[in-house]
């Protein structure tokens, strides 16, 4: 057993980690922390749930000092992830006087401007950070460590140019760390251009494959909700996540679940920040059982006690599937992934099987479908219709 004590971490960090209740480092932590503490550039390639936050977080807390300006910048793809990484970093900074802040869009800029003047560590989404750079309300000249967390997702979300501008604003002699599920394409090119002899570290997830069961059901598109409701009622589960590919999908499924008296809530990228954070917090606390969400809204979120993942739609990108299933079967617990596949999902499913040949996804025996409430209550239909009137037709192709 390899202990945190062997990683050359300061006593302050060892105490903070022990307060978090972690007994031993995960693989990516074991492999990257020593390199990060030595000041090396590191590429960590590993999927959700491998413990990356603590890996770079420890390096940052170790190297940042009170009242020396912004010394570390972590770029993340979503607001939720910014909040989550900030919270974890604050826990890691226990007993050390550091101002650690999250910066993202969708909320007022003025409090951020004030906070940026006194912060030592900043976790940010690229768009809003660039906004601050343009307004000259952030000083990036003291930055010693720059982290790109979930780099592949930042590329996918179209942040690449923002990210490059931000990188260029930081001192050249900084340390650069990139974490990504895959280092293909543009993420690779960023690494080549902005990193100094990076060490590449691959790590497996904390998910134990022997504890994870994956099944699929074939069904026609218009019976998907019947199947979902039936399975949700039949399966003995703790917390459940249901993934949809579109915003509209999450709204529709959310309504059907409510209509069938299943305690649930939905989140997607179109909802305002406060609503999303509140919903996630309530889910965290177990106030409702089923979270319906898109990939973007759920990115990087880690919640204990998720026993079931449903893919109401199959993701087009196999990598997204891996992220989705990474939320269950963590740390020795069991998990079940249920894929609901209609002919519309066939292509995505085929691509998944081809990409991850070692996944064992067995066909499940479809239960006898009890009748469910399919209809959205009348007044909601009316409400929806009036809201949609006058919208551009393009809005119908909602993003995630
Ligand atoms: P990633 O960024 O790789 O997806 P996270 O950093 O979000 O993973 O960590 C996933 C979960 O594992 C978090 O709840 C985190 O607190 C927990 N965790 C991290 N390191 C350890 C550890 N050494 N032992 C047990 N749990 C850990
Ligand atoms: Mg992470």
């Amino acid at each position: 057993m390899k202990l945190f004590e062997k990683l050359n971490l300061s006593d302050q960090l060892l105490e903070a980690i022990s307060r978090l209740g972690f007994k031993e480092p995960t693989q990516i932590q074991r492999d990257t922390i020593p390199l990060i503490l030595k000041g090396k550039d590191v590429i960590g390639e590993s999927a959700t749930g491998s413990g990356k936050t603590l890996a770079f977080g420890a390096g940052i807390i170790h190297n940042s000092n009170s009242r020396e300006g912004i010394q570390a910048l972590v770029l993340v793809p979503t607001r939720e992830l910014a909040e989550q990484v900030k919270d974890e970093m604050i826990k890691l900074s226990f007993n050390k006087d550091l101002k650690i802040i999250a910066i993202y869009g969708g909320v007022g800029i003025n409090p951020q401007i004030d906070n940026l003047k006194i912060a030592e560590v900043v976790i940010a989404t690229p768009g809003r950070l660039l906004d601050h750079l343009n307004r000259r309300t952030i000083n990036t000249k003291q930055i010693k460590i720059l982290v790109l967390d979930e780099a592949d997702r930042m590329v996918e979300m179209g942040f690449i140019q923002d990210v490059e501008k931000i990188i260029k604003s930081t001192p050249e002699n900084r340390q650069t760390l990139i974490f990504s599920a895959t280092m293909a394409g543009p993420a690779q090119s960023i690494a080549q251009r902005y990193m100094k002899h990076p060490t590449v570290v691959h790590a497996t997830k904390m998910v134990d494959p022997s504890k994870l069961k994956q099944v699929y059901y074939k069904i026609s598109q218009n019976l998907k909700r019947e199947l979902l409701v039936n399975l949700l009622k039949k399966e003995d589960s703790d917390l459940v996540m249901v993934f949809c590919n579109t915003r509209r999908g999450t709204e529709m499924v959310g309504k059907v679940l409510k209509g069938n008296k299943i305690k649930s809530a939905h989140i997607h990228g179109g909802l305002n920040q406060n609503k999303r954070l509140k919903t996630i917090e309530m889910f965290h606390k177990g106030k409702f059982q089923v979270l319906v969400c898109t990939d973007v809204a759920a990115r990087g979120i880690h919640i204990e006690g998720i026993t079931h993942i449903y893919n109401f739609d199959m993701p087009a990108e196999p990598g997204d599937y891996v992220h989705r299933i990474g939320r269950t079967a963590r740390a020795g617990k069991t998990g079940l992934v249920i894929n609901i596949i209609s002919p519309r999902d066939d292509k995505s499913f085929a691509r998944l099987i081809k990409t991850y040949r070692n996944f064992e996804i067995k066909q499940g025996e479809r239960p006898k479908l009890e009748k469910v409430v399919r209809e959205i209550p009348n007044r909601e239909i009316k409400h929806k219709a009036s809201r949609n009137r006058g919208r551009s037709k393009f809005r119908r192709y909602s993003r995630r």
Side-chain angles (χ1 to χ4, degrees):
M1 179 157 100
K2 178 129 189 193
L3 296 170
F4 280 107
E5 277 75 9
K6 299 200 175 151
L7 296 176
N8 285 330
L9 293 163
S10 64
D11 289 346
Q12 180 272 324
L13 274 165
L14 288 176
E15 189 179 347
I17 291 168
S18 118
R19 288 177 66 95
L20 282 167
F22 302 162
K23 302 276 178 292
E24 43 179 325
T26 63
Q27 191 193 345
I28 191 115
Q29 291 162 3
R30 271 200 305 274
D31 294 347
T32 60
I33 289 176
L35 294 166
I36 294 173
L37 292 184
K38 277 188 203 148
K40 296 250 189 292
D41 282 5
V42 174
I43 295 174
E45 212 175 343
S46 73
T48 318
S50 50
K52 284 164 282 186
T53 319
L54 188 147
F56 64 75
I60 289 173
I61 301 300
H62 194 94
N63 283 307
S64 302
N65 302 308
S66 205
R67 280 178 268 283
E68 291 184 8
I70 299 169
Q71 299 148 71
L73 173 62
V74 181
L75 294 179
V76 296
T78 65
R79 305 152 178 194
E80 284 81 5
L81 196 54
E83 280 289 331
Q84 188 166 314
V85 169
K86 181 202 71 179
D87 289 343
E88 186 150 348
M89 303 267 293
I90 287 175
K91 288 183 192 148
L92 286 174
S93 73
F94 173 75
N95 254 345
K96 191 163 179 174
D97 180 22
L98 290 175
K99 175 96 176 152
I100 301 170
I101 63 170
I103 296 286
Y104 45 77
V107 295
I109 199 161
N110 287 327
Q112 296 183 348
I113 294 176
D114 292 338
N115 276 333
L116 281 168
K117 289 179 192 148
I118 50 171
E120 276 95 23
V121 177
V122 175
I123 328 298
T125 53
R128 178 55 70 90
L129 197 92
L130 192 61
D131 198 356
H132 282 288
L133 267 180
N134 292 335
R135 292 164 180 250
R136 299 181 196 279
T137 45
I138 180 171
N139 178 358
T140 50
K141 293 302 164 212
Q142 314 299 324
I143 289 175
K144 295 186 280 191
I145 302 184
L146 173 69
V147 180
L148 309 187
D149 191 21
E150 312 239 8
D152 52 338
R153 181 53 62 131
M154 287 198 283
V155 168
E156 270 171 47
M157 288 173 70
F159 286 141
I160 186 106
Q161 283 170 345
D162 292 358
V163 169
E164 284 199 51
K165 281 185 198 146
I166 294 164
I167 298 177
K168 284 181 188 149
S169 80
T170 62
E172 257 184 55
N173 63 359
R174 65 170 192 269
Q175 177 180 18
T176 312
L177 310 173
I178 298 189
F179 291 90
S180 198
T182 53
M183 282 299 293
Q188 185 65 44
S189 113
I190 288 221
Q192 274 163 7
R193 276 177 298 146
Y194 299 104
M195 295 180 91
K196 296 179 280 289
H197 313 292
T199 310
V200 183
V201 175
H202 298 272
T204 51
K205 306 193 292 172
M206 299 214 297
V207 172
D208 176 352
S210 68
K211 297 260 158 83
L212 181 72
K213 233 179 90 187
Q214 303 176 64
V215 299
Y216 69 89
Y217 295 93
K218 292 246 178 194
I219 195 135
S220 66
Q221 186 69 23
N222 69 359
L223 284 178
K224 271 188 172 187
R225 43 190 124 163
E226 266 81 356
L227 181 60
L228 176 69
V229 171
N230 272 272
L231 288 172
L232 281 171
K233 291 201 162 161
K234 180 175 106 16
E235 284 284 333
D236 184 16
S237 51
D238 199 351
L239 295 182
V240 176
M241 289 176 90
V242 176
F243 281 91
C244 299
N245 288 354
T246 63
R247 293 175 180 184
R248 279 216 315 189
T250 63
E251 283 170 6
M252 184 276 288
V253 170
K255 278 183 185 147
V256 169
L257 296 189
K258 286 214 179 89
N260 287 279
K261 307 247 172 343
I262 294 171
K263 281 194 173 170
S264 64
H266 73 275
I267 52 168
H268 57 61
L271 296 172
N272 81 40
Q273 177 56 13
N274 267 343
K275 173 114 183 46
R276 280 153 76 179
L277 287 175
K278 275 212 188 94
T279 304
I280 288 164
E281 202 184 308
M282 280 170 55
F283 186 50
H284 214 112
K285 291 186 179 152
K287 301 265 189 234
F288 59 89
Q289 192 190 11
V290 182
L291 180 69
V292 186
C293 55
T294 57
D295 292 281
V296 165
R299 185 76 181 180
I301 290 168
H302 177 76
I303 289 160
E304 293 295 324
I306 295 172
T307 54
H308 288 59
I309 303 282
Y310 286 81
N311 288 316
F312 189 79
D313 304 307
M314 288 305 283
E317 290 297 326
D320 284 341
Y321 181 86
V322 175
H323 277 287
R324 290 180 183 185
I325 70 173
R327 287 148 214 292
T328 185
R330 291 196 193 210
K333 307 225 174 71
T334 54
L336 178 61
V337 178
I338 296 178
N339 300 299
I340 300 181
I341 295 177
S342 80
R344 282 194 203 170
D345 300 291
D346 281 345
K347 253 202 208 141
S348 301
F349 190 54
R351 199 176 306 134
L352 173 75
I353 305 284
K354 220 175 112 201
T355 314
Y356 296 101
R357 288 174 198 278
N358 58 339
F359 280 3
E360 247 185 76
I361 311 179
K362 296 209 179 99
Q363 182 154 17
E365 201 177 314
R366 198 213 283 181
K368 199 174 144 270
L369 295 185
E370 308 279 336
K371 228 173 132 78
V372 311
V373 183
R374 282 177 68 94
E375 302 307 325
I376 300 167
N378 258 341
R379 68 194 147 79
E380 293 203 31
I381 293 179
K382 246 196 235 147
H383 169 69
K384 195 157 192 243
S386 63
R387 254 200 312 138
N388 281 345
R389 201 175 301 134
R391 275 199 192 174
S392 139
K393 68 176 176 186
F394 297 111
R395 287 296 287 271
R396 279 192 299 157
Y397 301 92
S398 51
R399 293 178 301 139
R400 298 187 290 179

